[in-house]
Amino acid sequence: MTAASPASPASHALADLTACDLVAAYEARRLSPVEVTQAVIARIEAAEPTLHALWAFDPQAALDAAQASEARWAKGEPAGPIDGVPVTIKENIATKGLGMPLGTAARDLVPSALDAPPAARTREAGGVIMARTTMPDYGMLSSGLSSFHDLARNPWNTDLNPGGSSAGAGAAAAAGYGPLHIGTDIGGSIRLPAGWCGVVGLKPSFGRVPIDPPFLGRVAGPMTRTVADAALYMSVLSRPDTRDTMCLPPADLPWLDLDHGVAGLRIGLVLDCGVGADVEPEVRAAIERAAHAFTEAGAIVEEAGPFLTREMLDGLDRFWRARAWSDIGSLPEAKRAAILPYIRSWAESGAALSGEEVYRGFAQIDAMRKATLTASAPYDLLISPVAPMPTYPADRASPTNDWQRPFEHIGFTVGFNMSEQPAISVNCGYTTSGLPIGLQIAGPRFADMAVLQAAAAFERMRGPQRAWPVFG
């Protein structure tokens, strides 16, 4: 397969409009949620036979929701800030009446009794849910490879990987399956596919978006084409839900207050996180150009040193292996045999770990947290690559494709999960072969607005992106 053909600069299909533009058009009665939903359905039907980004795509349910939205707008009574806007939801976020495959053929598809918090907030605010987006087995890959789904592919070059574990969400956002998508992230699973698919992916502060079930480092957040759309969606996703026992106190943040500069900000530039694969030259050059843009805009940018260690990453790997084995070890052998071999081998290795080894691995979460917070403390923001490399072949489970070294690409992202800090991916350039390169901007704990404002400022500095890929 080859890269998709670029869109004509003059084209401005309804499926490519931002959520902010759609809401303004609905309010002015210039567009109908029904015609927009029809356009997104057409886009999906053209691209999905190639990309495999969706599961449980239900065009009729989406049209029914769009018609209800149209009626609310006609009365001037929208349900919320995203009423009538097409949305996809990652399949590990429960939606009422649908099973949750978690990307693996080993799961029984038992219908969920309730919407999980991000899905509930989306539905309450009038979002038109188009489908669930695909993920790899149990979310434990930065890949579109799955034992349950067809192989998900990157819209910029379908021979290549969209990343993961929010694989389908990244591909759907880049391909224009509507403007709003929800991913989840415990080590980079929003930011990695966002970076490799050229879209915006926000990992909010831990607990900012209620989820169920909560877990250390795990967050849900928006994946969009623009920072403003991510901020708009955060105004919905961050609303409270008592089911999340680890969430932050509700905060009425000014999510759309994005018109801020970066002059005077002290920014640390991280080009070596201390562990994992070396940063490839084209990635490094793009990040350095981004750093120069911040300097030109008045920020004080200085290089920050590495802060993670091999012991930290390997310890976390051991703990995650043991956790994965605790989930799948009790499955019947026939079920375990259905799991992607890469993930099955990785998880089975957790069975041989002693209690002490698992505990010492778990303790590395705190070590990673302290190291990341210490590295961040002198700065208003840290910037870095999202990943050391552009994306990689679609049929690989990870850049190394080696289950014994599965996390060599997450060094720049994973620390901010464990430190609970907000971090965003925003496109900062392209390789000579046309692949997007993600810039990560991270802020202090709870400083979600600072991160969004800096990302919006960088969008303005960066200028227009290349035309999005199109299919059909």
Side-chain angles (χ1 to χ4, degrees), residues 37 41 56-68 123 127-131:
T37 299
I41 290 170
F57 173 44
D58 191 338
Q60 188 56 56
L63 285 170
D64 291 346
Q67 287 167 351
R123 212 184 296 271
V128 176
I129 299 174
M130 306 298 301

Side-chain angles (χ1 to χ4, degrees), residues 3-4 154-157 160 195-198 282 390-391 427 429-437 466-467 469:
N154 192 311
W156 293 92
N157 184 328
L160 300 178
W196 287 330
C197 291
E282 286 189 294
T391 189
N427 185 55
Y430 303 85
T431 67
T432 53
S433 62
L435 298 177
I437 297 170
R466 296 184 183 182

